[in-house]
């Protein structure tokens, strides 16, 4: 199992940038894929971006070219996954969730609010 804690959310104006961080601890060597999802009010939760253990990335069409997922090297059973969000739009407003899955688990963070004003 792993534990995930998101940080870095907040309120920004359209066109500005934010970087979300996800601190991961626990069985980090068992993780296959880390990712970010989001859920806007009244909408279904949707994939934003994922990164595999091999470094392959996947992005939702709506964020391609604006968002970048990355991670640092694991250290002392901890690692951090980032979501750099540039050129933010009001439609990016949502609760963002960090995720990590492995052979026996599918873990989610508690979520963090990102609000983009027009």
């Amino acid at each position: 199992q792993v534990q995930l804690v998101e940080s870095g959310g907040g309120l920004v104006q359209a066109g500005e940038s934010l970087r979300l961080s996800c601190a991961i601890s626990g069985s980090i060597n068992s993780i296959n894929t880390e990712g970010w999802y989001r859920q806007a009010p009244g909408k279904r939760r949707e994939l934003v971006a994922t990164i595999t253990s091999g470094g392959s990335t996947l992005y939702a069409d709506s964020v391609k070219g604006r968002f970048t997922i990355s991670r640092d090297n694991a250290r002392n059973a901890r690692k951090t996954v980032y979501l750099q969000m540039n050129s933010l739009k009001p439609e990016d407003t949502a609760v963002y969730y960090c995720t990590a899955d492995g052979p026996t688990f599918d873990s989610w963070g508690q979520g963090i609010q990102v609000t983009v004003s027009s």
Side-chain angles (χ1 to χ4, degrees):
Q1 287 287 351
V2 295
Q3 295 75 46
L4 306 97
V5 179
E6 302 100 336
S7 62
L11 171 65
V12 296
Q13 293 188 334
E16 294 183 340
S17 299
L18 270 179
R19 188 176 79 159
L20 302 182
S21 299
C22 176
I24 306 175
S25 59
S27 302
I28 60 173
N29 292 330
S30 299
I31 296 174
N32 292 327
T33 303
E34 294 125 346
W36 290 93
Y37 286 70
R38 68 186 181 186
Q39 187 167 19
K43 295 188 177 180
R44 290 186 173 183
R45 192 170 293 184
E46 64 176 0
L47 179 147
V48 177
T50 61
I51 183 166
T52 69
S53 56
S56 298
T57 57
L58 175 71
Y59 295 93
D61 288 343
S62 59
V63 306
K64 280 181 183 176
R66 299 189 298 122
F67 290 12
T68 303
I69 188 170
S70 64
R71 62 180 174 224
D72 63 6
N73 293 325
R75 193 172 185 182
N76 296 330
R78 293 178 180 270
K79 65 192 302 185
T80 303
V81 177
Y82 304 97
L83 185 68
Q84 178 67 42
M85 306 186 292
N86 299 328
S87 302
L88 282 160
K89 304 176 181 180
E91 50 263 43
D92 294 317
T93 295
V95 176
Y96 285 70
Y97 298 88
C98 178
T99 71
D101 68 72
T104 60
F105 59 87
D106 182 10
S107 299
W108 291 70
Q110 79 283 0
I112 193 162
Q113 179 69 44
V114 171
T115 303
V116 184
S117 64
S118 58

